[in-house]
Amino acid sequence: MRISTKGRYGLRAIIDLAIHSTKEHVSLKHIAERQNISEAYLEQMFASMRKAGLVKSIKGPQGGYYIGEKLENITVGQVLRVLEGDMNVIDQDTMIQKEEKSIEYCIQKNVWEQMNMCLNETVDRITLEKLVSDYKKLLGGFPDMYYI
Amino acid sequence: MKISSKVTYGIISIVDIVLNSKNKVCNLKEISKRQNISLKYLEQIFCTLKRKKIVKSIKGAQGGYVLLKNPEEITLFMLFNILSNECSLENRAEEISGSIKDIFEKKYLFEMQKVLDDYTKNITIYEIVNSFYNS
C-alpha cells in the first residue's frame, strides 16, 4: 500500500507554497524549480486544490497562488483526499453488497472499516502548520552538521 | 492507498481453510466455489503462500493445501507483505535520495505507514475466525 505520486507531490507543493507565500503569491514556475516537479503536473494539482478551497489564485502574467485557509485548518487528510480521492483501504463501492454471513463481510466490518478509521484519523491529525514548522526546524537544524 | 485484491482474497481463503478444513486437506476448487474467487487466481495466491511457508501442498487425487502455521501465528501484516506486489514504504525509502525535502517526506509517510503496520501486526487469522463465529 502506498500513497500515489500525485498525493506525495501535491503535499510537497502545498508545503512549499505555505513556506514561500507568507508575503505574496507564488508562481507555479518557482515551485516547479524548487521541488523538481513539472509545471503541467502542478497546474493539474493546483486546479483541484483551488476548487476545494485549499489554495487561491491570482490570474495574469504576474499571477500565482497563495494558501486559501489558515495553515492550522488544513490537514494532510484534506489535501490527500482532494488529490487521491477517498483515503479508504478498500473501495467503498466494492464494500457495499455483501452477504452478512460471508467471511468477506466479517473482514470488512472487523478489519477494513477499522483500518479506514485509523488511517483517516492519522491524516486528519497532521496539519500543514505542523508540517511547515517541522520542515523549518529540519532546515534550521542542518547547518549544525558542518560543525561536527 | 488501496489494498490489492490479492491480499483481500488471500486473507479470505485462509480464513475459509480454518473454518472448513477441520484439519483435513483443503482443495482450491472448494474454496473457489464457497468464496466465489476464480480458481486461476487462487492458484496464483497459493503458489505465493506456499513459497513463503504459510501453506503446504499435498499432491494426488485427494490433494490440496494445509496450513503450516497456527491461525494465531498468521498476522495480517505477514500476509500484506507476502501478497502485495508493491514494496513497502520502508524499502522505497532507499530509493529516495538524501535531500532535506525527501527526508521530510519520508517522515510523514512513515507515520502513516506505521499506524497501519501496528494495526495489522496485531490482528491474526485466529481473531478474524473468532469474530466470524461471534457474528
Side-chain angles (χ1 to χ4, degrees):
Chain A
M1 197 175 4
R2 64 157 76 159
I3 310 256
S4 73
T5 350
K6 204 171 185 183
R8 287 170 47 216
Y9 282 8
L11 210 44
R12 198 199 280 180
I14 199 173
I15 292 167
D16 182 288
L17 180 70
I19 289 169
H20 292 97
S21 69
T22 44
K23 291 196 181 77
E24 55 181 1
H25 56 273
V26 169
S27 84
L28 293 188
K29 203 173 157 217
H30 289 135
I31 300 182
E33 276 164 15
R34 278 192 297 262
Q35 299 303 327
N36 203 12
I37 303 171
S38 93
E39 211 179 325
Y41 200 17
L42 283 177
E43 269 163 21
Q44 239 186 60
M45 295 189 290
F46 274 77
S48 326
M49 292 199 282
R50 192 179 58 80
K51 261 188 222 141
L54 300 177
V55 297
K56 288 190 172 136
S57 71
I58 291 173
K59 290 198 174 138
Q62 299 301 313
Y65 285 89
Y66 57 98
I67 298 281
E69 266 278 354
K70 281 191 181 142
L71 285 184
E72 70 250 39
N73 294 337
I74 302 179
T75 65
V76 169
Q78 277 174 299
V79 177
L80 291 179
R81 274 188 286 266
V82 166
L83 296 169
E84 303 210 355
D86 67 61
M87 288 293 290
N88 295 326
V89 292
I90 301 280
D91 276 325
Q92 288 290 24
D93 46 330
T94 60
M95 282 174 64
I96 305 162
Q97 328 98 348
K98 301 274 160 58
E99 279 176 58
E100 286 207 18
K101 276 280 146 210
S102 68
I103 296 176
E104 218 174 344
Y105 182 81
C106 168
I107 295 176
Q108 175 185 312
K109 283 282 154 206
N110 294 293
V111 183
W112 307 142
E113 287 183 10
Q114 308 299 319
M115 271 179 92
N116 284 343
M117 246 164 56
C118 239
L119 190 60
N120 278 290
E121 271 170 21
T122 311
V123 289
D124 284 333
R125 222 178 14 237
I126 314 174
T127 64
L128 275 199
E129 189 189 31
K130 167 95 172 63
L131 288 184
V132 167
S133 88
D134 278 4
Y135 188 56
K136 283 182 178 158
K137 252 183 242 159
L138 199 60
L139 282 179
F142 258 66
D144 291 341
M145 287 178 59
Y146 297 111
Y147 297 104
I148 296 172
Chain B
M1 223 41 206
K2 304 288 178 216
I3 294 169
S4 72
S5 59
K6 200 171 175 189
V7 174
T8 58
Y9 288 159
I11 298 172
I12 291 170
S13 20
I14 293 179
V15 174
D16 179 282
I17 292 181
V18 178
L19 288 171
N20 297 300
S21 74
K22 310 202 167 54
N23 296 324
K24 281 196 223 120
V25 177
C26 214
N27 95 37
L28 293 188
K29 253 190 209 150
E30 288 163 15
I31 302 178
S32 159
K33 248 191 251 160
R34 277 192 298 260
Q35 300 305 328
N36 203 12
I37 304 170
S38 93
L39 187 59
K40 268 225 167 104
Y41 202 19
L42 278 179
E43 277 163 3
Q44 266 181 42
I45 294 172
F46 275 77
C47 184
T48 315
L49 290 174
K50 183 183 154 191
R51 211 173 50 235
K52 298 290 181 175
K53 307 244 180 321
I54 303 284
V55 297
K56 185 172 79 174
S57 71
I58 311 278
K59 293 203 170 129
Q62 299 300 310
Y65 287 91
V66 289
L67 285 183
L68 271 180
K69 287 187 190 304
N70 294 324
E72 50 269 59
E73 287 174 305
I74 308 174
T75 65
L76 292 196
F77 182 74
M78 217 182 258
L79 296 177
F80 269 84
N81 281 335
I82 290 173
L83 292 172
S84 112
N85 294 323
E86 312 155 347
C87 41
S88 75
L89 283 170
E90 238 158 301
N91 297 332
R92 274 182 38 74
E94 303 300 319
E95 302 166 17
I96 302 176
S97 67
S99 77
I100 296 179
K101 57 177 179 274
D102 290 341
I103 293 170
F104 177 64
E105 189 164 86
K106 258 190 288 187
K107 193 174 159 244
Y108 66 78
L109 287 178
F110 275 155
E111 208 169 308
M112 295 170 61
Q113 186 69 46
K114 196 177 170 301
V115 170
L116 293 179
D117 286 354
D118 288 349
Y119 184 77
T120 52
K121 275 176 189 164
N122 280 315
I123 297 187
T124 65
I125 293 294
Y126 175 78
E127 275 153 324
I128 297 176
V129 169
N130 258 349
S131 54
F132 185 79
Y133 280 134
N134 293 334
S135 67

